[in-house]
Amino acid sequence: MKSVAALALIGSAAAFAPAQTGKASTKLNAFEDELGAQPPLGFYDPLGMLNGDCSQERFDRLRYVEIKHGRIAMLAFLGQITTRGGLHLGGNIDYSGDSFDSFPNGIAALIGPDSIPTAGLVQIIALIGLLECGFMRDVPGAGNEFVGDFRNGYIDFGWDQFDEETKLQKRAIELNNGRAA
């Protein structure tokens, strides 16, 4: 009986002991100091996309896609909250006199009885394609400082005035806001 009580006591004490954690593989350790590996999660790869072939080139490609999709998600979020807040462009969207605020918000603007006409959707998709293929890309040899730097030697807005620590902080903020959006 005493041995059963002792085993129960040891078992209950083990429940409160810190769990043993395994070490990450050497390949993943190479990316633990990259931008975006921040507390509380540290380096976070929930889908295991860097398992196996995880060269620096693959990491840079995935970071490029993450930044680009994060920027799109942030713009989509801002578009939602501004139109839901009642802010619309002034004037008419077409020659028949339909104003911008006459169309519904959200997915109802794309499908449904009061949706944007097909010609308008084609124009929106064509503009997105033009931006994607013509402007929103890394141009090799254009003096880009990091992956996802779409300035390509043209737009600055004071970025060169910041010190390296401020640049890293602003890039980390953009990355985390894109993840949140």
Side-chain angles (χ1 to χ4, degrees):
M1 189 63 145
K2 290 181 183 180
S3 61
V4 173
L7 288 175
L9 184 60
I10 291 171
S12 65
F16 297 102
Q20 296 293 328
T21 57
K23 296 287 183 184
S25 70
T26 306
K27 290 184 177 182
L28 290 180
N29 284 339
F31 303 114
E32 285 184 351
D33 293 331
E34 291 287 337
L35 180 72
Q38 303 174 48
L41 297 177
F43 179 73
Y44 186 59
D45 183 20
L47 299 178
M49 297 184 78
L50 292 174
N51 294 344
D53 177 28
C54 51
S55 63
Q56 185 66 38
E57 181 179 311
R58 177 164 169 76
F59 179 82
D60 288 344
R61 172 68 183 148
L62 291 173
R63 177 55 52 95
Y64 171 83
V65 171
E66 179 183 16
I67 290 171
K68 194 169 197 177
H69 289 151
R71 289 173 180 166
I72 292 167
M74 288 186 284
L75 286 172
F77 177 77
L78 287 176
Q80 274 291 324
I81 62 172
T82 54
T83 56
R84 298 266 178 189
L87 297 173
H88 298 277
L89 294 173
N92 296 328
I93 196 168
D94 57 14
Y95 291 123
S96 65
D98 295 325
S99 63
F100 283 98
D101 60 356
S102 66
F103 294 101
N105 299 322
I107 194 71
L110 301 176
I111 57 175
D114 297 329
S115 64
I116 298 172
T118 305
L121 291 177
V122 169
Q123 290 174 16
I124 292 170
I125 292 170
L127 175 65
I128 292 170
L130 175 72
L131 291 174
E132 176 79 20
C133 295
F135 301 102
M136 302 299 288
R137 58 191 177 107
D138 277 334
V139 176
N144 299 339
E145 294 181 28
F146 52 89
V147 174
D149 183 5
F150 295 152
R151 293 178 297 147
N152 297 323
Y154 295 107
I155 303 171
D156 189 356
F157 296 125
W159 180 259
D160 293 334
Q161 305 295 327
F162 297 129
D163 60 8
E164 291 302 316
E165 183 178 338
T166 305
K167 287 180 182 181
L168 277 175
Q169 179 186 13
K170 290 189 176 293
R171 287 178 53 210
I173 290 169
E174 178 191 26
L175 192 61
N176 284 329
N177 286 344
R179 290 173 178 172

